[in-house]
Amino acid sequence: MSSTAAFALPPPGPGWRLRASDLLYTRRGLLLLALLGPPLLWFGVVYLGALLALLANAFFGLDDFTGQVVREFTLKNFVALLEPANLDSARRTITMAIAVTIACTVLGFPLAYFMARHASGWRKALLYIAVMLPLWSSYLVRLYAWKLLLAKEGAISWLAAQLHATWLLDALLATPGIGGPSLSFSSFGTFCVFVYMWLPFMVLPIMAAIERIPGSLVEASGDLGASPATTFRRVILPLAMPGVAAGSIFTFSLTLGDYIIPQVIGDSTLYIGQIVYRQQGVAGNIPFAAAFSLVPIVVIGVYLWLAKRQGAFDAL
């Protein structure tokens, strides 16, 4: 029995899983690195790497004879951005993005307020579905459906004829700057489709911001003698502004970078996205396309800075 005890195996130590668990538990920094390391690595290599490559290509040139990219430092692409046609496209795109953001705010705020403060039960669920339902269908399906609605022989023209409002539609189409041969070939039609596409992205952040407003603040405002209009203007609207700013990030940036809607709906005027697409895909001028694509990046960066000052990221 003594010889058997002498040759007994030592008890097994803790497995590698238990040791790894103890190590991660005692060193929280290592656990955080293990969790965030892979996504940060992916973000740094793929996303930031692509942006740096884009920035580098903007300082290259294009050989006029061979059409090949010449990897020599030059600023001629940025000088070309100052040409009147390119400045006009940038101005048109930024103006459209601002107009779409304002329209989505005006249309989305009442709906978001009603959903947050008055709707409940099945009514609120139904409104949720109504807001989210367009996002469940294909982007292109919705776009071409609007092209049919806005066509000269489409449903909107037919409805205007039935209501004897053809004169109003003709006056709209004859307005310089927003009109055209038909709604599907006008800047106003492009604006309407943009608003329809991005409206849900404005409604949901505003509703989330309004739902965070304590009801006691509204009751206290009424107890102190404020009218409903004063309560809305002095209490609800300032506290809902982070939601408006958060929604505007989506509507502004999505409009600024979209090139499919202006290509399908609208006249022959160009937006930034269309120019970048044509220069890169048709003309093969990657350096100029890279330089022009930096314009919306800079504009969105400034816009994000302004939105952050309004507390937009608190409502995301």
Side-chain angles (χ1 to χ4, degrees):
M1 182 177 294
S2 59
S3 60
T4 304
F7 290 100
L9 295 175
W16 66 270
R17 294 183 180 179
L18 183 58
R19 290 195 298 271
S21 177
D22 293 339
L23 181 62
L24 294 176
Y25 181 78
T26 55
R27 298 186 180 183
R28 297 301 178 91
L30 188 61
L31 175 61
L32 186 63
L33 180 63
L35 291 175
L36 298 182
L40 288 178
L41 184 63
W42 175 268
F43 178 81
V45 173
V46 177
Y47 182 74
L48 295 181
L51 287 180
L52 291 176
L54 181 70
L55 180 62
N57 276 280
F59 293 97
F60 295 153
L62 191 72
D63 189 278
D64 296 331
F65 181 72
T66 62
Q68 299 295 320
V69 176
V70 179
R71 301 184 181 277
E72 296 179 357
F73 181 83
T74 179
L75 295 176
K76 65 179 183 180
N77 295 315
F78 295 96
V79 174
L81 293 178
L82 301 178
E83 295 179 359
N86 295 326
L87 290 177
D88 185 61
S89 297
R91 176 197 55 80
R92 183 184 304 111
T93 306
I94 295 173
T95 302
M96 178 64 76
I98 294 174
V100 169
T101 299
I102 293 174
C104 288
T105 303
V106 172
L107 295 175
F109 200 101
L111 177 59
Y113 181 82
F114 180 81
M115 292 174 63
R117 287 293 175 186
H118 299 287
S120 61
W122 65 270
R123 292 183 180 86
K124 190 169 186 176
L126 188 63
L127 289 173
Y128 260 117
I129 295 175
V131 171
M132 297 296 295
L133 189 61
L135 301 179
W136 298 350
S137 60
S138 171
Y139 174 91
L140 292 177
V141 169
R142 288 179 285 150
L143 177 57
Y144 279 99
W146 267 98
K147 186 174 180 64
L148 294 176
L149 290 174
L150 298 174
K152 199 165 188 177
E153 301 82 11
I156 295 180
S157 298
W158 175 85
L159 182 60
Q162 298 300 315
L163 297 176
H164 304 287
T166 307
W167 61 272
L168 182 60
L169 182 59
D170 293 338
L172 177 65
L173 294 176
T175 304
I178 64 173
S182 66
L183 287 175
S184 61
F185 290 95
S186 65
S187 297
F188 183 76
T190 307
F191 167 78
C192 292
V193 177
F194 270 132
V195 172
Y196 166 79
M197 289 290 188
W198 313 141
L199 184 60
F201 297 98
M202 178 65 77
V203 173
L204 297 179
I206 295 178
M207 187 187 66
I210 295 176
E211 285 180 338
R212 293 194 185 102
I213 300 175
S216 57
L217 292 180
V218 180
E219 295 174 0
S221 177
D223 294 340
L224 293 173
S227 63
T230 303
T231 300
F232 177 81
R233 187 177 67 254
R234 303 292 295 273
V235 178
I236 296 178
L237 187 58
L239 294 176
M241 283 306 296
V244 175
S248 69
I249 292 174
F250 294 107
T251 57
F252 186 84
S253 61
L254 290 172
T255 305
L256 203 63
D258 194 281
Y259 70 94
I260 301 178
I261 292 177
Q263 192 164 316
V264 177
I265 307 291
D267 49 19
S268 58
T269 56
L270 295 177
Y271 292 78
I272 291 178
Q274 291 175 283
I275 294 179
V276 172
Y277 173 76
R278 293 186 180 186
Q279 290 293 329
Q280 187 274 335
V282 179
N285 192 348
I286 296 178
F288 182 73
F292 216 136
S293 63
L294 293 177
V295 174
I297 293 177
V298 173
V299 173
I300 292 174
V302 174
Y303 191 84
L304 288 174
W305 177 74
L306 294 174
K308 184 177 184 298
R309 297 188 62 182
Q310 296 293 327
F313 298 105
D314 298 334
L316 289 176

